Amino acid sequence: MTGNRAIAYMGPKKLEIQNLDFPKLVDPRGNKCDHGVIIKLVTTNICGSDQHIYRGRFPAPSGMILGHENTGEVVEVGRDVLFIKKGDLVSVPFNVACGRCRNCREQHTEVCETTNPEVSCGAYGFNLGGWQGGQADYMMVPYADFQLLKFPDKAQAMAKIKDLTLLSDILPTGYHACVEARVGTGSTVYIAGAGPVGRCAAASARLLGASCIIVGDTNKERLALVKKAGYEVVDVSKKTPLPDQIEAILGKREVDCGVDCVGFEAHGHGPSAEDDPAAVLNALLEVVRAPAGIGAVGVYIAGDSQAKTKEAKQGFYDIEWGKQWVKSPSLTTGQCPVMKYNRGLMMAILWGRMDYLGEVMNVEVIPLEKAIEAYHVFDEGSPKKFVIDPHGSVRE
């Protein structure tokens, strides 16, 4: 059987391409996965969440294989798999979910109760249950009949693979944030963060019918990309306060809905602002009108060794809740239940309802050999979305 190249995390800013054994139908605790499959990766993306790990700010063990945004072709099928077949092209939700527990049955696959013995949350390529990631040639996926989204036509899917590869995480995540923020027809929305998740949120807000979509960031290249794609932008590194910048666009100092696509690595607002993990949440509480709907899909953790304060290292943040409570805010945070949205978004892509995705996402397809370099470039603030193509499957 063939080998398996994979991107391994070895410590902060240290990655290796390792040559591993071909994966087996076995879970991280050594149990047989007759309900699983082996897939040959067609695309596996570098995510902003991977950058948290890369920087050493999301705790992860040395040697962990990265990659939770995975799309591939099924090459081996377990004994108990009934509906997924060898040769199928599938999207892999980043949540590892059994489909059998109470939470999975209630469509909360982001908090599956069985796939991580330490907490109700399993994910590939994180320190969440020991499930190895898919920035590799091949990977094992358990509970295949439940988890995998099969593309109905392989040739049609490959023609739109740069968009469909986003279904494993960031497009459903951006969409979920907008849904939880109550974005709808005619809504005005402020999206914090112009990285790939923020850009997917902007595209999702357009699909949901928002009227004015404003994206904020400090990265001028990313803001320029978003502006060119037809969205409004604000630069939160400027001296001008955020409500003033929103008023200059909208004529009002508040929006209907707010989305957080930044998380704990946020900076405060202004030209000399330092790290402030509460900055985005406090800004959203300020600029979203009452009753305030906020979808916060940016990552927040306990265990950030590089946080500036003891409290922030432990995951305690200075949220202005008492000041903003009177606005009746609703704040939904946590990981996205990808399976709740991925099929609908797949159909929107296949039927041409999201053809504008490419312009705002700025995908660059790279071979596995260039992945470590791409991590460095992405870490420097590149406006690109890097998609790894281990086997040369994607035609430019």
Side-chain angles (χ1 to χ4, degrees), residues 102-378:
R102 174 181 173 179
N103 286 347
C104 283
R105 287 174 179 268
E106 294 177 356
Q107 287 193 306
H108 281 292
T109 53
E110 82 280 18
V111 283
C112 175
E113 297 176 303
T114 70
T115 51
N116 183 347
E118 297 180 0
V119 65
S120 293
C121 178
Y124 303 101
F126 286 96
N127 191 18
L128 291 170
W131 301 94
Q132 297 302 299
Q135 288 177 8
D137 287 317
Y138 300 91
M139 71 178 295
M140 194 280 288
V141 178
Y143 307 107
D145 279 334
F146 175 68
Q147 287 202 108
L148 294 177
L149 175 68
K150 177 185 172 182
F151 297 132
D153 182 272
K154 188 181 294 187
Q156 181 192 28
M158 288 304 297
K160 294 200 171 189
I161 196 65
K162 290 182 183 179
D163 291 343
L164 294 170
T165 191
L166 307 175
L167 292 172
S168 53
D169 176 6
I170 63 171
L171 183 55
T173 292
Y175 189 86
H176 172 64
C178 289
V179 168
E180 294 299 333
R182 302 193 293 272
V183 175
T185 303
S187 297
T188 60
V189 56
Y190 172 63
I191 298 168
V197 176
R199 303 200 296 270
C200 277
S204 297
R206 180 179 288 185
L207 182 67
L208 287 165
S211 56
C212 180
I213 303 166
I214 305 170
V215 181
D217 206 299
T218 62
N219 184 305
K220 290 176 174 51
E221 283 189 281
R222 290 179 175 179
L223 289 175
L225 173 67
V226 172
K227 182 70 173 177
K228 184 179 179 182
Y231 304 89
E232 303 294 336
V233 299
V234 295
D235 185 344
V236 295
S237 68
K238 290 183 176 180
K239 188 176 181 179
T240 306
L242 176 61
D244 291 354
Q245 292 193 59
I246 288 176
E247 185 176 22
I249 295 168
L250 191 59
K252 298 180 180 180
R253 300 174 64 80
E254 292 182 321
V255 292
D256 297 324
C257 315
V259 172
D260 169 13
C261 295
V262 179
F264 74 101
E265 287 198 67
H267 289 77
H269 294 178
S272 58
E274 297 182 350
D275 286 3
D276 179 1
V280 168
L281 292 176
N282 283 327
L284 289 169
L285 287 166
E286 180 182 10
V287 302
V288 180
R289 66 178 294 275
I294 299 171
V297 293
V299 174
Y300 291 88
I301 66 163
D304 175 14
S305 62
Q306 298 177 37
K308 300 297 184 183
T309 67
K310 177 182 176 181
E311 290 75 19
K313 288 178 180 179
Q314 297 173 342
F316 293 95
Y317 308 120
D318 293 325
I319 306 298
E320 296 177 351
W321 200 247
K323 178 181 177 182
Q324 303 296 349
W325 173 87
V326 72
K327 295 173 76 171
S328 296
S330 63
L331 171 64
T332 301
T333 187
Q335 294 185 358
C336 166
V338 170
M339 292 179 64
K340 190 173 182 178
Y341 308 105
N342 62 352
R343 186 186 181 278
L345 291 168
M346 174 189 73
M347 295 301 290
I349 290 170
L350 291 176
W351 285 93
R353 299 299 183 262
M354 298 193 79
D355 285 347
Y356 49 82
L357 260 177
E359 186 177 7
V360 75
M361 292 314 300
N362 195 26
V363 166
E364 179 175 337
V365 180
I366 60 171
L368 189 71
E369 294 82 2
K370 292 188 177 181
I372 295 176
E373 178 187 349
Y375 264 92
H376 174 73
V377 174
F378 192 22

